[in-house]
Amino acid sequence: MNLAEALHNIQCIGRRQLGSYFNSPVAYVFIVIFLLLAGFFTFMVGGFFQRDQASLVAFFMWHPWLFLVLVPAVGMGLWAEERRLGTMELLLTMPVTAWQAIVGKFLAAWVFLAVTLALTFPVWITVNYLGEPDNGVIVCSYIGSLLMAGACLSISTMTSALTRNQVVSFIISIVIILLLILAGFPPVTELLKSWDVPAGLISLIASTSIMTHFEGFQKGVLDLRDVVYFLSVMGFCLFTTGVIIRSLRSGH
């Protein structure tokens, strides 16, 4: 199978998955909930106007917590629903390989999240109307947010392949993502310091956190190490998903 044929198969799987999102009212409900929560936390909890700053810090600082709950809701059905309906076997008997199906589904869900993020553009327009923000920092923050969403989604893709039950997949995803957030959450690192945990170990734990690697993007710093971190999480989780799918395919 050549590269062109593989890309065609990924595109077909992606279109099928993306169509399943937008043919359902659930997708629109998700987008509305995300926009409402993002607006609520930015303007009501984050004190957007009280900060008196032309920046979107109050907007992006809540993204890890929003993704904690909302991204698993997007990814929980990617494979669990196929397994529950018994269509996974049918999908995998088509002339596509497991990795093409995994990548196609993942990219479709990631595009859906990218569209949702793009729909927050009124916040960007608002801050430009009220002041003169550094738009380079905002673009960098959006890139980081998209990468973080992809990392969370890959975790949810992996857990979705583990079970037929979407709720179980949802809960396991939340637990894993929460651990990756708390590992770099300042109150947690301060707590570890109060327990006299060695600074080197605290730094090592914090380096595994999506919170730590998102901070640089929020400051407008596009660090290759942060990009590699998020891509590595995606690569690892999608590889693990492939192992699970191939195991199910072989009947083990």
Side-chain angles (χ1 to χ4, degrees):
M1 183 178 291
N2 56 38
L3 180 61
E5 190 174 353
L7 291 176
H8 175 73
N9 289 341
I10 290 172
Q11 189 178 29
C12 290
I13 296 290
R15 282 182 179 173
R16 172 180 176 268
Q17 185 64 43
L18 202 57
S20 72
Y21 281 130
F22 286 104
N23 289 332
S24 163
V26 175
Y28 302 99
V29 170
F30 172 86
I31 291 173
V32 170
I33 290 175
F34 180 87
L35 295 178
L36 288 176
L37 287 177
F40 174 76
F41 282 107
T42 301
F43 295 105
M44 303 300 290
V45 182
F48 176 82
F49 294 109
Q50 289 79 2
R51 287 172 179 267
D52 198 24
Q53 296 175 350
S55 75
L56 287 184
V57 173
F59 171 66
F60 287 108
M61 65 186 287
W62 297 105
H63 280 207
W65 303 103
L66 289 174
F67 291 164
L68 169 65
V69 177
L70 297 179
V71 173
V74 173
M76 65 183 184
L78 284 177
W79 288 103
E81 186 66 6
E82 298 277 6
R83 291 186 62 185
R84 188 182 69 82
L85 296 175
T87 53
M88 190 177 82
E89 291 77 7
L90 178 63
L91 175 66
L92 296 178
T93 55
M94 296 168 66
V96 297
T97 61
W99 75 266
Q100 290 167 2
I102 292 167
V103 172
K105 280 176 165 286
F106 172 77
L107 289 179
W110 202 10
V111 167
F112 174 70
L113 290 173
V115 170
T116 305
L117 266 179
L119 290 175
T120 62
F121 71 91
V123 181
W124 191 352
I125 292 175
T126 300
V127 76
N128 273 276
Y129 176 76
L130 295 174
E132 296 180 355
D134 187 337
N135 285 310
V137 173
I138 294 176
V139 170
C140 193
S141 299
Y142 267 111
I143 292 172
S145 183
L146 185 60
L147 287 171
M148 183 169 57
C152 295
L153 178 64
S154 68
I155 293 169
S156 188
T157 302
M158 178 181 67
T159 62
S160 180
L162 285 171
T163 175
R164 298 171 185 269
N165 191 318
Q166 294 191 40
V167 176
V168 174
S169 167
F170 179 76
I171 293 172
I172 298 174
S173 292
I174 285 182
V175 171
I176 296 173
I177 296 170
L178 180 62
L179 289 174
L180 289 178
I181 290 176
L182 293 180
F185 191 44
V188 174
T189 55
E190 290 300 322
L191 180 64
L192 292 176
K193 287 177 183 176
S194 70
W195 290 347
D196 293 329
V197 175
L201 182 57
I202 294 175
S203 297
L204 179 64
I205 294 172
S207 68
T208 64
S209 174
I210 60 176
M211 190 76 94
T212 303
H213 292 279
F214 184 50
E215 281 180 2
F217 288 102
Q218 293 183 81
K219 296 172 183 172
V221 179
L222 192 58
D223 193 322
L224 182 62
R225 289 170 297 183
D226 297 327
V227 176
V228 169
Y229 167 81
F230 286 120
L231 293 179
S232 298
V233 172
M234 288 183 237
F236 173 77
C237 291
L238 294 182
F239 173 78
T240 306
T241 303
V243 172
I244 297 168
I245 296 297
R246 279 193 290 272
S247 174
L248 292 171
R249 197 177 192 178
S250 61
H252 296 298

